[in-house]
Each structure stands twice: as C-alpha cells, then as structure tokens.
C-alpha cells in the first residue's frame, strides 16, 4: 500500500506490519520488520532506511519497504518467554544440556541428536546454512520442511509499544541487551506459542557467536554457552513438531500470522 499523510487512518491504534528488504542486484543485504501503530510508521520506516544505508549507498540497488494493515482479529497477543541461563561450561555439556531440555519438552533423544548434528554439519543441500529453519518431527527426527535450502522464516512478530521499555529493561537487567538477543527472544516467544510446536533449538551462523538456546513453553528461553566452537560458521534453527499433520498450519502461523508480545516477565 502507499501511505501519504492524508491517507493515514485516523485511528492510530490500528496496527501495521512494516517490512524492509535491501538488495544489491539479486543479493539480499539486509532486512527488518516491525509491527507498529499508524503513528509509528514514519519513524519505523526512517530507522529501516538508516539501517539499509549503513551498507553504503553505492552498495544498494534497492530498498523496498512494504506496509500492510493488520486485521485486528488476526493478531495474537502473547507473553515473552522468561529468560534463563543454562549450565554449559563446554561443548559436550552444552549438547547434553540442550538434549535434556529438549527431552523435557517432548523431543526424543534420537530426534534431538540428529537435528543438532544436521545443524552442526550444515543442514542445506549444499552442506552450508539454510536460509530459514528446519522442521523436525519430535519423535522420529524426520525432517519435514518443504524446502531444505530455504527452510522456514519466522516473520510478523514484535513487542507491543506499551511494554517495549519494560522489555528493554528486562534484557538490560539480565545484561543481554544486544539486538541479536532481543530478536531471538521475540522469535522464540512466537514459536513457543504455536500449538503443536513443542520446542526450538538455535545456534548462530555468526562464527564468533557461540551462545545458542533451547526454548519451549515448558522451559522458557534457556541460553547455552558453547553450543559450537569459536570460528564455526554453521548455524540455524530447528523447530520440533509433535505431528506431521500439523506442519502446514504451523508454517502458516510462523510465516504469516501476526503475533505481538504484550506481557514481560518480572526479573
Ligand atoms: C542468545 O545470546 O541468547 C542467543 C542468541 C542467538 C542468536 C542467533 C543469531 O542471531 O544468529
């Protein structure tokens, strides 16, 4: 949609999804996404343009910003998962702790180990990282995502304006107010709120970032240090599902249904 000042809706409480995609030719450079009220669109769009321009105007061939109104009856309001720190002084302990947390959430040992191995060996067909997440059957370990290179992307998740400051304060008090963690906790909170999706495992594809997490509605968001070796570029997310039949509905929820975190745990 195009939005001029005159065409903005009078009711600024209406929510909009705003998404940015910056590219250099066919190469994706960066993206961003927010869910904001009408009167926050200009600021959100400006911040997204600033973010894209950090790549240098010469590097960009396009910045696309798409704004879609959100039908109020499609929006789901959810709580933020509580954040905990797991015990993982080394690689082996981290793998063991990840499998223990996944087992608590209903993931079989075989499914957990094969999924963690797949991420650690490069889960895409070319042996590199997938662009999105794997979907794995929690009992059998079978991979269920329709496209093993693209995977599943979690979109349409944000934190409500009225609790945004409380969210940032929560992360600051825990000493983890990095945008990377902010984004990961929001994603994990959406994933944990989707029926039939029992748990998530994540390790970063940043070679220098070795903290990952296991998340579920049962355990909350549990950070684990040493989920991979320093310098290892392989990473990704795994979503464990209870049944094969639920997969298409889960993908639709992950990729298209808007979720807004509206409640923050107390420290
Ligand atoms: C954490 O520090 O809580 C884990 C964040 C994982 C982020 C994954 C990523 O950004 O690649």
């Amino acid at each position: 949609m195009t939005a001029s000042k005159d065409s903005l809706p009078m009711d600024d409480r209406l929510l909009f999804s705003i998404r940015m995609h910056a590219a250099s030719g066919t190469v994706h450079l960066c993206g961003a996404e927010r869910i904001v009220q009408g009167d926050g669109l200009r600021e959100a769009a400006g911040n997204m343009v600033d973010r894209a321009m950090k790549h240098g105007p010469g590097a960009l061939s396009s910045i696309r910003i798409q704004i879609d109104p959100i039908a109020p009856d499609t929006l789901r309001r959810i709580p933020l998962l509580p954040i905990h720190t797991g015990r993982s002084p080394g690689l082996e302990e981290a793998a063991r702790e990840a499998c223990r947390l996944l087992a608590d959430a209903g993931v079989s040992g075989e499914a957990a180990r094969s999924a963690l191995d797949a991420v650690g060996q490069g889960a895409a067909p070319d042996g590199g990282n997938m662009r999105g997440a794997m979907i794995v059957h929690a009992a059998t370990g079978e991979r269920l995502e329709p496209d093993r290179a693209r995977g599943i992307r979690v979109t349409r998740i944000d934190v409500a304006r009225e609790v945004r400051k409380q969210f940032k304060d929560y992360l600051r008090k825990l000493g983890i107010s990095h945008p990377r963690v902010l984004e990961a906790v929001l994603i994990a909170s959406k994933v944990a709120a989707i029926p039939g999706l029992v748990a998530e495992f994540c390790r970063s594809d940043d070679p220098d970032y070795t903290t990952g997490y296991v998340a579920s509605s049962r355990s909350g968001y549990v950070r684990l240090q040493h989920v991979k070796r320093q310098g290892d570029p392989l990473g990704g997310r795994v979503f464990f599902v209870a049944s094969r039949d639920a997969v298409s509905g889960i993908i639709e929820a992950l990729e298209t249904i808007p979720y807004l975190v509206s409640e923050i745990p107390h420290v």
Side-chain angles (χ1 to χ4, degrees):
M1 73 177 277
T2 50
S4 71
K5 190 170 174 47
D6 295 339
S7 67
L8 279 176
M10 294 307 288
D11 184 352
D12 278 335
R13 289 167 305 175
L14 278 180
L15 289 162
F16 293 80
S17 156
I18 171 166
R19 291 181 294 157
M20 179 275 285
H21 169 66
S24 171
T26 55
V27 178
H28 168 80
L29 286 180
C30 70
E33 182 186 10
R34 297 289 318 276
I35 294 175
V36 295
Q37 290 170 346
D39 61 355
L41 281 171
R42 283 165 195 279
E43 185 187 343
N47 289 340
M48 287 178 182
V49 171
D50 289 348
R51 180 163 169 174
M53 294 298 275
K54 285 202 180 118
H55 288 267
L60 295 163
S61 60
S62 65
I63 304 174
R64 291 179 203 282
I65 293 192
Q66 180 172 337
I67 298 173
D68 300 296
I70 291 176
D73 58 346
T74 62
L75 184 80
R76 314 266 205 281
R77 291 187 178 267
I78 56 168
L80 189 79
L81 284 179
I83 301 174
H84 308 288
T85 301
R87 278 187 38 76
S88 53
L91 284 174
E92 275 180 28
E93 292 87 348
R96 210 175 310 126
E97 185 65 355
C99 289
R100 188 189 66 74
L101 290 160
L102 291 169
D104 272 358
V107 179
S108 72
E110 186 190 335
R113 277 188 301 275
S114 65
L116 265 58
D117 285 351
V119 178
Q121 288 158 12
D126 65 359
N129 290 322
M130 296 170 65
R131 298 198 295 284
M134 290 164 67
I135 295 202
V136 169
H137 194 292
T140 66
E142 184 188 0
R143 280 180 69 175
L144 298 172
E145 70 279 7
D147 179 334
R148 290 192 176 188
R150 177 186 180 275
I152 307 302
R153 302 206 182 104
V154 183
T155 65
R156 292 183 169 77
I157 172 69
D158 205 342
V159 59
R161 174 154 77 183
E162 56 276 17
V163 296
R164 197 161 186 86
K165 179 176 177 318
Q166 204 186 329
F167 176 42
K168 292 195 166 167
D169 287 348
Y170 179 58
L171 294 182
R172 194 168 34 76
K173 281 184 192 152
L174 295 172
I176 46 174
S177 33
H178 192 279
R180 178 202 296 278
V181 182
L182 184 146
E183 191 179 310
V185 187
L186 290 181
I187 289 175
S189 297
K190 173 167 181 174
V191 169
I194 294 176
L197 212 165
V198 298
E200 175 187 358
F201 169 78
C202 169
R203 63 180 244 182
S204 180
D205 56 10
D206 178 340
D208 298 322
Y209 198 81
T210 60
T211 299
Y213 66 85
V214 169
S216 70
S217 55
R218 188 178 172 88
S219 65
Y221 178 97
V222 185
R223 307 182 71 228
L224 296 171
Q225 290 182 315
H226 310 298
V227 290
K228 67 177 194 175
R229 275 179 222 288
Q230 187 78 26
D232 183 345
L234 294 171
R237 287 187 161 81
V238 186
F239 302 144
F240 293 94
V241 297
S243 101
R244 172 185 261 280
D245 296 346
V247 168
S248 61
I250 286 173
I251 293 175
E252 190 190 352
L254 289 167
E255 297 196 332
T256 66
I257 298 181
Y259 280 62
L260 204 56
V261 166
S262 304
E263 202 184 310
I264 309 298
H266 295 287
V267 182

